[in-house]
Amino acid sequence: MQADPREYRNGLIYAFLAYATWGLLPLYFRLVKSISPIEVVAQRVTWCALFILLVLVMRGQVGRFIETLRDKRVLAALTLSGILIAANWLLYVWAVLNGHIVATSLAYFLNPLINVLIGVSFLGERLRPVQWAAIALAAVGAALLGAGAPNMLWISLLLAIAFALYGLIRKLTPVTPLIGLGVETAVLLPTALIGLAWVGSSHGLGFGKDVGVTTLLIGSGLITSLPLMLFAAAARMLPMVTLGFIQYVTPTMVFLQGVLLFGEKLSTAQWASFGLIWTGLILFAGHAIHAARGREAAV
């Protein structure tokens, strides 16, 4: 069945906005590098939950939110997706604060390949020869990146797998992005509050000690919720294959930050792999644009 051209176009816009926001997260979290990763993630969950609650009240969707919480099947799915995204956040923040930015970029170079595997294997999505060629180029590039940083490969693999599974669950769960994120953060909130209490009693919270850091921690709720809502919407509008390749926006931005802003040195092989991945992305994107125009012409 052909996708609606307008929905497909909106999905592309939402996906690009989500991934571009995520591409700036290393810069954001480096500003709070004095705070422990546990507190950073707990603050993200707490302020995200409060922000989503405010939006639900403003939109008059609190009733739908409560109904979703009472749906055991949906609640189970969103509990699992919430655990996956929380694990992703914690490992990502830890990696950024400990100087493993290249490892995080590699994770999101690998993630589209995992999305492709999920889409083809479990969702019945099919690829054209041009798309297979693009995937082959990207796979070779990602393999070279992994070979260049074997000691950090576990970080990349765990981040990629957790986020790919999160995207699959959100694609298959029949809830709106706002309600879904609201349930996820509500489920995670008790654990986040326990984490904050533990950090406060053992090390002392960074929240409240500095105006700038406190503002950034509060803002983490906004930069967490908005791109996730956009991503969840895009995941329901786009094939997993297309969504996976748009995701290269995020690791490319992170990769360039690591090289240009944080002075990470790259080998010739790593530069070559970066070129292969970009070639695959351009090939896939060109085909996607051509296909989208064909769909619009057929309507």
Side-chain angles (χ1 to χ4, degrees), residues 47-72:
W47 292 105
C48 182
L50 292 175
F51 175 77
I52 293 298
L53 177 61
L54 177 62
V55 175
L56 288 172
V57 171
M58 293 175 61
R59 292 189 175 183
Q61 297 185 19
V62 175
R64 292 181 59 189
F65 171 74
I66 295 175
E67 290 177 3
T68 304
L69 286 173
R70 292 174 177 171
D71 188 323
K72 294 182 179 180

PDB file of all heavy atoms in Angstrom, residues 47-72:
ATOM      1  N   TRP A  47      11.910  16.355  34.727  1.00  0.00           N
ATOM      2  CA  TRP A  47      11.436  17.571  34.064  1.00  0.00           C
ATOM      3  C   TRP A  47      10.678  17.265  32.780  1.00  0.00           C
ATOM      4  O   TRP A  47       9.753  17.993  32.411  1.00  0.00           O
ATOM      5  CB  TRP A  47      12.597  18.516  33.805  1.00  0.00           C
ATOM      6  CG  TRP A  47      13.162  19.068  35.076  1.00  0.00           C
ATOM      7  CD1 TRP A  47      14.334  18.719  35.689  1.00  0.00           C
ATOM      8  CD2 TRP A  47      12.548  20.035  35.940  1.00  0.00           C
ATOM      9  NE1 TRP A  47      14.499  19.405  36.863  1.00  0.00           N
ATOM     10  CE2 TRP A  47      13.406  20.224  37.047  1.00  0.00           C
ATOM     11  CE3 TRP A  47      11.359  20.755  35.890  1.00  0.00           C
ATOM     12  CZ2 TRP A  47      13.115  21.113  38.083  1.00  0.00           C
ATOM     13  CZ3 TRP A  47      11.058  21.638  36.915  1.00  0.00           C
ATOM     14  CH2 TRP A  47      11.929  21.812  37.998  1.00  0.00           C
ATOM     15  N   CYS A  48      11.038  16.183  32.132  1.00  0.00           N
ATOM     16  CA  CYS A  48      10.280  15.760  30.962  1.00  0.00           C
ATOM     17  C   CYS A  48       8.867  15.368  31.363  1.00  0.00           C
ATOM     18  O   CYS A  48       7.893  15.732  30.697  1.00  0.00           O
ATOM     19  CB  CYS A  48      10.991  14.589  30.270  1.00  0.00           C
ATOM     20  SG  CYS A  48      10.174  14.013  28.766  1.00  0.00           S
ATOM     21  N   ALA A  49       8.742  14.632  32.468  1.00  0.00           N
ATOM     22  CA  ALA A  49       7.415  14.228  32.950  1.00  0.00           C
ATOM     23  C   ALA A  49       6.560  15.448  33.292  1.00  0.00           C
ATOM     24  O   ALA A  49       5.369  15.500  32.961  1.00  0.00           O
ATOM     25  CB  ALA A  49       7.567  13.316  34.171  1.00  0.00           C
ATOM     26  N   LEU A  50       7.164  16.437  33.946  1.00  0.00           N
ATOM     27  CA  LEU A  50       6.422  17.645  34.302  1.00  0.00           C
ATOM     28  C   LEU A  50       6.005  18.429  33.062  1.00  0.00           C
ATOM     29  O   LEU A  50       4.886  18.947  32.986  1.00  0.00           O
ATOM     30  CB  LEU A  50       7.282  18.522  35.221  1.00  0.00           C
ATOM     31  CG  LEU A  50       7.557  17.946  36.615  1.00  0.00           C
ATOM     32  CD1 LEU A  50       8.529  18.850  37.374  1.00  0.00           C
ATOM     33  CD2 LEU A  50       6.253  17.792  37.398  1.00  0.00           C
ATOM     34  N   PHE A  51       6.897  18.501  32.081  1.00  0.00           N
ATOM     35  CA  PHE A  51       6.578  19.217  30.848  1.00  0.00           C
ATOM     36  C   PHE A  51       5.440  18.531  30.101  1.00  0.00           C
ATOM     37  O   PHE A  51       4.497  19.191  29.631  1.00  0.00           O
ATOM     38  CB  PHE A  51       7.826  19.293  29.964  1.00  0.00           C
ATOM     39  CG  PHE A  51       7.568  19.901  28.609  1.00  0.00           C
ATOM     40  CD1 PHE A  51       7.433  21.278  28.471  1.00  0.00           C
ATOM     41  CD2 PHE A  51       7.452  19.102  27.487  1.00  0.00           C
ATOM     42  CE1 PHE A  51       7.190  21.840  27.222  1.00  0.00           C
ATOM     43  CE2 PHE A  51       7.211  19.661  26.238  1.00  0.00           C
ATOM     44  CZ  PHE A  51       7.080  21.037  26.106  1.00  0.00           C
ATOM     45  N   ILE A  52       5.505  17.201  30.007  1.00  0.00           N
ATOM     46  CA  ILE A  52       4.454  16.460  29.312  1.00  0.00           C
ATOM     47  C   ILE A  52       3.121  16.610  30.038  1.00  0.00           C
ATOM     48  O   ILE A  52       2.062  16.775  29.415  1.00  0.00           O
ATOM     49  CB  ILE A  52       4.835  14.977  29.201  1.00  0.00           C
ATOM     50  CG1 ILE A  52       6.039  14.807  28.276  1.00  0.00           C
ATOM     51  CG2 ILE A  52       3.658  14.161  28.682  1.00  0.00           C
ATOM     52  CD1 ILE A  52       5.793  15.260  26.861  1.00  0.00           C
ATOM     53  N   LEU A  53       3.131  16.579  31.375  1.00  0.00           N
ATOM     54  CA  LEU A  53       1.908  16.753  32.144  1.00  0.00           C
ATOM     55  C   LEU A  53       1.281  18.109  31.861  1.00  0.00           C
ATOM     56  O   LEU A  53       0.066  18.226  31.684  1.00  0.00           O
ATOM     57  CB  LEU A  53       2.196  16.604  33.641  1.00  0.00           C
ATOM     58  CG  LEU A  53       1.001  16.831  34.579  1.00  0.00           C
ATOM     59  CD1 LEU A  53      -0.110  15.831  34.286  1.00  0.00           C
ATOM     60  CD2 LEU A  53       1.441  16.734  36.036  1.00  0.00           C
ATOM     61  N   LEU A  54       2.118  19.143  31.807  1.00  0.00           N
ATOM     62  CA  LEU A  54       1.620  20.484  31.499  1.00  0.00           C
ATOM     63  C   LEU A  54       0.967  20.533  30.121  1.00  0.00           C
ATOM     64  O   LEU A  54      -0.113  21.105  29.948  1.00  0.00           O
ATOM     65  CB  LEU A  54       2.773  21.483  31.573  1.00  0.00           C
ATOM     66  CG  LEU A  54       2.448  22.935  31.200  1.00  0.00           C
ATOM     67  CD1 LEU A  54       1.406  23.504  32.152  1.00  0.00           C
ATOM     68  CD2 LEU A  54       3.711  23.795  31.221  1.00  0.00           C
ATOM     69  N   VAL A  55       1.615  19.907  29.133  1.00  0.00           N
ATOM     70  CA  VAL A  55       1.065  19.890  27.773  1.00  0.00           C
ATOM     71  C   VAL A  55      -0.252  19.117  27.733  1.00  0.00           C
ATOM     72  O   VAL A  55      -1.215  19.525  27.066  1.00  0.00           O
ATOM     73  CB  VAL A  55       2.084  19.282  26.795  1.00  0.00           C
ATOM     74  CG1 VAL A  55       1.467  19.157  25.397  1.00  0.00           C
ATOM     75  CG2 VAL A  55       3.345  20.140  26.726  1.00  0.00           C
ATOM     76  N   LEU A  56      -0.315  18.003  28.452  1.00  0.00           N
ATOM     77  CA  LEU A  56      -1.546  17.213  28.496  1.00  0.00           C
ATOM     78  C   LEU A  56      -2.697  18.022  29.084  1.00  0.00           C
ATOM     79  O   LEU A  56      -3.831  17.964  28.589  1.00  0.00           O
ATOM     80  CB  LEU A  56      -1.327  15.945  29.319  1.00  0.00           C
ATOM     81  CG  LEU A  56      -0.465  14.844  28.690  1.00  0.00           C
ATOM     82  CD1 LEU A  56      -0.174  13.749  29.707  1.00  0.00           C
ATOM     83  CD2 LEU A  56      -1.151  14.252  27.463  1.00  0.00           C
ATOM     84  N   VAL A  57      -2.403  18.782  30.144  1.00  0.00           N
ATOM     85  CA  VAL A  57      -3.437  19.631  30.757  1.00  0.00           C
ATOM     86  C   VAL A  57      -3.886  20.704  29.780  1.00  0.00           C
ATOM     87  O   VAL A  57      -5.090  20.953  29.601  1.00  0.00           O
ATOM     88  CB  VAL A  57      -2.909  20.259  32.060  1.00  0.00           C
ATOM     89  CG1 VAL A  57      -3.897  21.302  32.580  1.00  0.00           C
ATOM     90  CG2 VAL A  57      -2.666  19.177  33.121  1.00  0.00           C
ATOM     91  N   MET A  58      -2.932  21.343  29.113  1.00  0.00           N
ATOM     92  CA  MET A  58      -3.256  22.413  28.175  1.00  0.00           C
ATOM     93  C   MET A  58      -4.085  21.904  27.001  1.00  0.00           C
ATOM     94  O   MET A  58      -4.936  22.618  26.468  1.00  0.00           O
ATOM     95  CB  MET A  58      -1.965  23.066  27.673  1.00  0.00           C
ATOM     96  CG  MET A  58      -1.193  23.836  28.743  1.00  0.00           C
ATOM     97  SD  MET A  58       0.390  24.470  28.134  1.00  0.00           S
ATOM     98  CE  MET A  58      -0.156  25.565  26.819  1.00  0.00           C
ATOM     99  N   ARG A  59      -3.846  20.670  26.582  1.00  0.00           N
ATOM    100  CA  ARG A  59      -4.559  20.106  25.435  1.00  0.00           C
ATOM    101  C   ARG A  59      -5.813  19.337  25.849  1.00  0.00           C
ATOM    102  O   ARG A  59      -6.510  18.796  24.994  1.00  0.00           O
ATOM    103  CB  ARG A  59      -3.640  19.179  24.644  1.00  0.00           C
ATOM    104  CG  ARG A  59      -2.500  19.904  23.945  1.00  0.00           C
ATOM    105  CD  ARG A  59      -1.772  18.959  23.013  1.00  0.00           C
ATOM    106  NE  ARG A  59      -0.749  19.645  22.248  1.00  0.00           N
ATOM    107  CZ  ARG A  59      -0.005  19.063  21.313  1.00  0.00           C
ATOM    108  NH1 ARG A  59      -0.188  17.770  21.032  1.00  0.00           N
ATOM    109  NH2 ARG A  59       0.914  19.746  20.670  1.00  0.00           N
ATOM    110  N   GLY A  60      -6.074  19.265  27.137  1.00  0.00           N
ATOM    111  CA  GLY A  60      -7.253  18.556  27.603  1.00  0.00           C
ATOM    112  C   GLY A  60      -7.198  17.066  27.352  1.00  0.00           C
ATOM    113  O   GLY A  60      -8.236  16.434  27.086  1.00  0.00           O
ATOM    114  N   GLN A  61      -6.001  16.470  27.438  1.00  0.00           N
ATOM    115  CA  GLN A  61      -5.831  15.048  27.145  1.00  0.00           C
ATOM    116  C   GLN A  61      -5.497  14.221  28.385  1.00  0.00           C
ATOM    117  O   GLN A  61      -5.032  13.084  28.259  1.00  0.00           O
ATOM    118  CB  GLN A  61      -4.735  14.866  26.085  1.00  0.00           C
ATOM    119  CG  GLN A  61      -5.072  15.500  24.748  1.00  0.00           C
ATOM    120  CD  GLN A  61      -4.026  15.199  23.692  1.00  0.00           C
ATOM    121  OE1 GLN A  61      -3.247  14.272  23.814  1.00  0.00           O
ATOM    122  NE2 GLN A  61      -3.991  16.006  22.643  1.00  0.00           N
ATOM    123  N   VAL A  62      -5.732  14.778  29.564  1.00  0.00           N
ATOM    124  CA  VAL A  62      -5.436  14.031  30.782  1.00  0.00           C
ATOM    125  C   VAL A  62      -6.306  12.774  30.865  1.00  0.00           C
ATOM    126  O   VAL A  62      -5.843  11.706  31.298  1.00  0.00           O
ATOM    127  CB  VAL A  62      -5.654  14.914  32.022  1.00  0.00           C
ATOM    128  CG1 VAL A  62      -5.467  14.108  33.300  1.00  0.00           C
ATOM    129  CG2 VAL A  62      -4.698  16.100  32.000  1.00  0.00           C
ATOM    130  N   GLY A  63      -7.555  12.872  30.443  1.00  0.00           N
ATOM    131  CA  GLY A  63      -8.443  11.714  30.460  1.00  0.00           C
ATOM    132  C   GLY A  63      -7.914  10.588  29.581  1.00  0.00           C
ATOM    133  O   GLY A  63      -7.926   9.414  29.984  1.00  0.00           O
ATOM    134  N   ARG A  64      -7.460  10.919  28.377  1.00  0.00           N
ATOM    135  CA  ARG A  64      -6.900   9.903  27.482  1.00  0.00           C
ATOM    136  C   ARG A  64      -5.634   9.308  28.076  1.00  0.00           C
ATOM    137  O   ARG A  64      -5.356   8.119  27.916  1.00  0.00           O
ATOM    138  CB  ARG A  64      -6.599  10.519  26.123  1.00  0.00           C
ATOM    139  CG  ARG A  64      -7.832  10.927  25.338  1.00  0.00           C
ATOM    140  CD  ARG A  64      -7.454  11.506  24.000  1.00  0.00           C
ATOM    141  NE  ARG A  64      -6.690  10.551  23.203  1.00  0.00           N
ATOM    142  CZ  ARG A  64      -6.082  10.878  22.059  1.00  0.00           C
ATOM    143  NH1 ARG A  64      -6.125  12.130  21.612  1.00  0.00           N
ATOM    144  NH2 ARG A  64      -5.416   9.952  21.385  1.00  0.00           N
ATOM    145  N   PHE A  65      -4.854  10.134  28.756  1.00  0.00           N
ATOM    146  CA  PHE A  65      -3.633   9.660  29.404  1.00  0.00           C
ATOM    147  C   PHE A  65      -3.956   8.617  30.471  1.00  0.00           C
ATOM    148  O   PHE A  65      -3.329   7.554  30.537  1.00  0.00           O
ATOM    149  CB  PHE A  65      -2.895  10.850  30.005  1.00  0.00           C
ATOM    150  CG  PHE A  65      -1.723  10.485  30.881  1.00  0.00           C
ATOM    151  CD1 PHE A  65      -0.541  10.024  30.326  1.00  0.00           C
ATOM    152  CD2 PHE A  65      -1.818  10.604  32.255  1.00  0.00           C
ATOM    153  CE1 PHE A  65       0.531   9.689  31.129  1.00  0.00           C
ATOM    154  CE2 PHE A  65      -0.748  10.276  33.070  1.00  0.00           C
ATOM    155  CZ  PHE A  65       0.434   9.809  32.502  1.00  0.00           C
ATOM    156  N   ILE A  66      -4.977   8.899  31.290  1.00  0.00           N
ATOM    157  CA  ILE A  66      -5.378   7.966  32.349  1.00  0.00           C
ATOM    158  C   ILE A  66      -5.926   6.673  31.748  1.00  0.00           C
ATOM    159  O   ILE A  66      -5.651   5.566  32.232  1.00  0.00           O
ATOM    160  CB  ILE A  66      -6.413   8.632  33.269  1.00  0.00           C
ATOM    161  CG1 ILE A  66      -5.778   9.816  34.013  1.00  0.00           C
ATOM    162  CG2 ILE A  66      -6.978   7.613  34.260  1.00  0.00           C
ATOM    163  CD1 ILE A  66      -6.749  10.617  34.849  1.00  0.00           C
ATOM    164  N   GLU A  67      -6.709   6.793  30.653  1.00  0.00           N
ATOM    165  CA  GLU A  67      -7.227   5.603  29.985  1.00  0.00           C
ATOM    166  C   GLU A  67      -6.096   4.722  29.466  1.00  0.00           C
ATOM    167  O   GLU A  67      -6.170   3.486  29.541  1.00  0.00           O
ATOM    168  CB  GLU A  67      -8.135   6.010  28.824  1.00  0.00           C
ATOM    169  CG  GLU A  67      -9.454   6.637  29.260  1.00  0.00           C
ATOM    170  CD  GLU A  67     -10.281   7.079  28.073  1.00  0.00           C
ATOM    171  OE1 GLU A  67      -9.836   6.830  26.918  1.00  0.00           O
ATOM    172  OE2 GLU A  67     -11.346   7.672  28.284  1.00  0.00           O
ATOM    173  N   THR A  68      -5.051   5.352  28.944  1.00  0.00           N
ATOM    174  CA  THR A  68      -3.906   4.590  28.433  1.00  0.00           C
ATOM    175  C   THR A  68      -3.197   3.851  29.565  1.00  0.00           C
ATOM    176  O   THR A  68      -2.763   2.709  29.402  1.00  0.00           O
ATOM    177  CB  THR A  68      -2.921   5.523  27.717  1.00  0.00           C
ATOM    178  OG1 THR A  68      -3.605   6.224  26.674  1.00  0.00           O
ATOM    179  CG2 THR A  68      -1.765   4.738  27.114  1.00  0.00           C
ATOM    180  N   LEU A  69      -3.076   4.511  30.707  1.00  0.00           N
ATOM    181  CA  LEU A  69      -2.453   3.864  31.864  1.00  0.00           C
ATOM    182  C   LEU A  69      -3.238   2.627  32.304  1.00  0.00           C
ATOM    183  O   LEU A  69      -2.662   1.683  32.870  1.00  0.00           O
ATOM    184  CB  LEU A  69      -2.349   4.844  33.024  1.00  0.00           C
ATOM    185  CG  LEU A  69      -1.281   5.931  32.931  1.00  0.00           C
ATOM    186  CD1 LEU A  69      -1.422   6.911  34.086  1.00  0.00           C
ATOM    187  CD2 LEU A  69       0.120   5.322  32.920  1.00  0.00           C
ATOM    188  N   ARG A  70      -4.537   2.613  32.051  1.00  0.00           N
ATOM    189  CA  ARG A  70      -5.385   1.491  32.471  1.00  0.00           C
ATOM    190  C   ARG A  70      -5.378   0.351  31.453  1.00  0.00           C
ATOM    191  O   ARG A  70      -5.886  -0.738  31.757  1.00  0.00           O
ATOM    192  CB  ARG A  70      -6.814   1.985  32.686  1.00  0.00           C
ATOM    193  CG  ARG A  70      -6.965   2.920  33.877  1.00  0.00           C
ATOM    194  CD  ARG A  70      -8.372   3.491  33.938  1.00  0.00           C
ATOM    195  NE  ARG A  70      -8.552   4.327  35.126  1.00  0.00           N
ATOM    196  CZ  ARG A  70      -9.609   5.093  35.350  1.00  0.00           C
ATOM    197  NH1 ARG A  70     -10.605   5.115  34.459  1.00  0.00           N
ATOM    198  NH2 ARG A  70      -9.687   5.826  36.442  1.00  0.00           N
ATOM    199  N   ASP A  71      -4.839   0.610  30.258  1.00  0.00           N
ATOM    200  CA  ASP A  71      -4.746  -0.434  29.228  1.00  0.00           C
ATOM    201  C   ASP A  71      -3.492  -1.256  29.498  1.00  0.00           C
ATOM    202  O   ASP A  71      -2.371  -0.809  29.240  1.00  0.00           O
ATOM    203  CB  ASP A  71      -4.683   0.209  27.841  1.00  0.00           C
ATOM    204  CG  ASP A  71      -4.780  -0.816  26.714  1.00  0.00           C
ATOM    205  OD1 ASP A  71      -4.220  -1.920  26.869  1.00  0.00           O
ATOM    206  OD2 ASP A  71      -5.380  -0.495  25.679  1.00  0.00           O
ATOM    207  N   LYS A  72      -3.655  -2.463  30.020  1.00  0.00           N
ATOM    208  CA  LYS A  72      -2.514  -3.254  30.477  1.00  0.00           C
ATOM    209  C   LYS A  72      -1.552  -3.598  29.347  1.00  0.00           C
ATOM    210  O   LYS A  72      -0.331  -3.603  29.537  1.00  0.00           O
ATOM    211  CB  LYS A  72      -3.009  -4.537  31.155  1.00  0.00           C
ATOM    212  CG  LYS A  72      -3.774  -4.283  32.450  1.00  0.00           C
ATOM    213  CD  LYS A  72      -4.192  -5.587  33.106  1.00  0.00           C
ATOM    214  CE  LYS A  72      -4.930  -5.317  34.420  1.00  0.00           C
ATOM    215  NZ  LYS A  72      -5.356  -6.592  35.072  1.00  0.00           N
TER     216      LYS A  72
END
